[in-house]
Amino acid sequence: MDRIHINEEDDDMIESVFPELEDKSLLKTNKWGILDVCLTKCNKVVTGYQWKYSYFDGAKIRVLSSYDLTRLRQKVMNRGLEWIITDNKLAIDSYKLNHELLEKREDMAKNHKNSTSGVRYVYRTPDKGSRRGFYWIYVNNHKDGQKSYTSNSLLKLKERVEKEGLTWTVINTEVYEKLLTEEAGLL
């Protein structure tokens, strides 16, 4: 099969035919400064946000996600995909935002010990769309990654968590029992 070779003269001719492309970067950019990366809202993540990387695998579009941009980068690299910075300033801003989100996550984990639910790994997350103005969320890290489940009821959440084979540990019986009583009064 014959291959077409474009020498420098031909390349110059192509560029002069399309002058609007001469000083343009061929990489698409976004407000995060990293090719194919975005930040989305997600009520299943403690901070309320997760990073996503989209790619085409030859058959369909796939998405990798993580609450941490550096972990997402590692997932991308482990799949042999490219992590391309399209704008250094925007990428630096994204990593700064990621750091802020991780600090928020750590603060929530610290407050987690003084859980408002009385159950380890369970706390309230505000949600204006919920009838009660919040959801209960169970978040636990595992070797396979973060597991999280939400429900508007502590009892329903407990059933779901236990059905998944995860632990439901009451750390403050008084708080937990009080919430269950309040919940029963609402039903």
Side-chain angles (χ1 to χ4, degrees):
M1 181 180 255
D2 292 324
R3 295 188 181 258
I4 298 173
H5 175 71
I6 298 177
N7 61 31
E8 286 181 25
E9 292 171 8
D10 292 335
D11 193 35
D12 290 340
M13 184 181 80
I14 290 171
E15 286 180 359
S16 65
V17 173
F18 301 104
E20 65 274 9
L21 298 177
E22 286 183 16
D23 293 318
K24 299 284 184 182
S25 170
L26 296 178
L27 294 176
K28 59 183 177 180
T29 189
N30 61 29
K31 69 180 188 177
W32 308 109
I34 306 165
L35 188 65
D36 299 324
V37 170
C38 67
L39 182 67
T40 61
K41 286 189 174 190
C42 180
N43 66 352
K44 295 183 179 185
V45 177
V46 175
T47 60
Y49 295 92
Q50 73 177 351
W51 296 97
K52 290 187 176 183
Y53 177 90
S54 303
Y55 66 99
F56 185 69
D57 71 356
K60 62 183 181 177
I61 294 177
R62 305 278 183 183
V63 177
L64 299 173
S65 62
S66 178
Y67 66 91
D68 179 4
L69 190 57
T70 55
R71 285 187 182 210
L72 179 61
R73 180 180 186 272
Q74 192 58 49
K75 284 182 178 182
V76 168
M77 303 301 281
N78 288 345
R79 295 253 176 130
L81 302 169
E82 293 183 308
W83 186 263
I84 299 172
I85 304 297
T86 58
D87 184 306
N88 283 337
K89 182 185 179 322
L90 292 175
I92 288 168
D93 290 345
S94 295
Y95 278 100
K96 285 179 183 177
L97 175 60
N98 183 63
H99 181 72
E100 290 172 18
L101 290 171
L102 290 175
E103 284 180 345
K104 178 182 175 183
R105 185 175 188 270
E106 286 179 29
D107 288 344
M108 293 175 103
K110 287 176 189 172
N111 293 336
H112 198 202
K113 292 175 182 159
N114 301 322
S115 172
T116 57
S117 69
V119 181
R120 181 173 285 130
Y121 310 126
V122 177
Y123 59 92
R124 288 182 199 198
T125 182
D127 188 309
K128 293 177 184 175
S130 169
R131 183 172 54 103
R132 295 170 65 191
F134 67 90
Y135 280 99
W136 293 107
I137 186 167
Y138 174 95
V139 180
N140 193 355
N141 289 321
H142 293 275
K143 65 179 180 178
D144 299 330
Q146 180 174 292
K147 301 274 187 184
S148 62
Y149 304 92
T150 60
S151 178
N152 59 356
S153 162
L154 275 173
L155 287 176
K156 288 179 185 175
L157 184 60
K158 178 184 179 188
E159 289 172 11
R160 188 168 177 207
V161 166
E162 288 177 338
K163 183 178 178 183
E164 293 292 323
L166 301 170
T167 59
W168 185 268
T169 307
V170 176
I171 56 176
N172 187 331
T173 308
E174 184 179 330
V175 171
Y176 182 61
E177 294 295 328
K178 180 181 176 198
L179 289 170
L180 289 179
T181 303
E182 288 176 11
E183 207 171 87
L186 293 173
L187 298 177

